[in-house]
Amino acid sequence: MVKSSNAIFPNQTFNLPSLMKNLLLLFLVSALLPLTTVAQSLRGLDKSPLDIAYFPDNFAHDRKDGEKAIVKVTYSRPAKNGREVFGQLVPYEKVWRTGANEATEIKVYQTITLGDKKLKPGTYSLFTLPGETEWEIIVNKDLDYWGAYSYEPTRDVLRTKVPAGKSDQAVENFTIQFKLLGTGKAVMILAWDKTIVEVPVSF
């Protein structure tokens, strides 16, 4: 215990260990306040989470020494949530971002044939033009745009048409997945609700 020599508190006695504890607590609270403010301002989980589809399928997880990826698609996965998707939520005959949020990106590591057209290595945006029985697959040079609002057809590098099929069972979240068919041949599957589109890929 220490008696104060301060003229303001002439008879005040201070407990130094307690005072040090209080000062330390005050310092810690002051230091943590900015972190709390930052944490409160961070965005939460996206309603349409980002995902990646590789060819070969699940490449990064299953990769073996010496193997190389051929295609990588980065896209967001909106949910059906009881809605009728194609023809309603996603209109027919209107360019679609092929997912949600920013436009879907397709990275090609070597020259491939997508549908019936050659596509050179590079990173592109992947748009689609859904139809009731046929979809047009669009590969575009522009990157990092939200949705298809800034889509510019003069920047297209590839357009190819493929049939649209139907499934008995609805797919809840929009899904892109690759399936190997045989040596040098695969399909890129686009599935949502009861619509399934298979885009031929050869390499």
Side-chain angles (χ1 to χ4, degrees):
M1 304 287 285
V2 178
K3 190 172 182 180
S4 173
S5 60
N6 193 317
I8 298 176
F9 305 105
N11 299 316
Q12 181 68 45
T13 302
F14 294 97
N15 185 327
L16 284 180
S18 177
L19 181 61
M20 293 298 292
K21 286 181 183 178
N22 289 336
L23 288 173
L24 180 60
L25 181 60
L26 181 63
F27 172 77
L28 289 173
V29 170
S30 300
L32 290 174
L33 276 176
L35 296 178
T36 303
T37 303
V38 169
Q40 290 174 346
S41 66
L42 294 174
R43 287 189 296 273
L45 291 176
D46 200 304
K47 291 181 180 179
S48 301
L50 200 66
D51 206 347
I52 292 175
Y54 272 106
F55 181 67
D57 184 46
N58 216 24
F59 172 77
H61 182 272
D62 299 337
R63 183 174 185 172
K64 297 178 180 62
D65 288 343
E67 288 187 333
K68 295 182 179 180
I70 297 173
V71 183
K72 175 183 177 181
V73 179
T74 304
Y75 70 110
S76 292
R77 304 185 62 182
K80 173 177 166 61
N81 284 335
R83 301 171 292 183
E84 185 175 347
V85 176
F86 296 107
Q88 296 292 325
L89 179 65
V90 178
Y92 288 136
E93 308 306 329
K94 184 176 179 180
V95 174
W96 182 44
R97 68 185 84 187
T98 318
N101 305 328
E102 59 264 48
T104 292
E105 285 190 4
I106 180 168
K107 182 176 182 180
V108 180
Y109 295 84
Q110 66 180 59
T111 298
I112 64 170
T113 300
L114 191 66
D116 58 355
K117 303 287 177 59
K118 293 283 186 183
L119 183 60
K120 295 180 180 179
T123 301
Y124 310 92
S125 289
L126 178 65
F127 296 101
T128 46
L129 189 66
E132 193 167 2
T133 59
E134 184 180 67
W135 281 30
E136 190 162 15
I137 309 301
I138 304 168
V139 178
N140 187 280
K141 292 179 183 178
D142 288 333
L143 298 171
D144 305 315
Y145 283 102
W146 188 263
Y149 304 107
S150 299
Y151 166 70
E152 176 50 65
T154 60
R155 303 283 289 168
D156 290 348
V157 296
L158 180 153
R159 277 183 174 246
T160 186
K161 293 183 178 181
V162 293
K166 294 292 181 182
S167 170
D168 293 333
Q169 188 172 358
V171 176
E172 176 62 25
N173 287 82
F174 176 61
T175 300
I176 298 179
Q177 190 170 317
F178 288 90
K179 180 180 178 181
L180 181 65
L181 298 182
T183 304
K185 292 184 178 182
V187 288
M188 179 175 67
I189 301 168
L190 311 178
W192 197 16
D193 200 354
K194 291 188 175 181
T195 296
I196 295 183
V197 175
E198 295 188 355
V199 185
V201 179
S202 57
F203 51 95

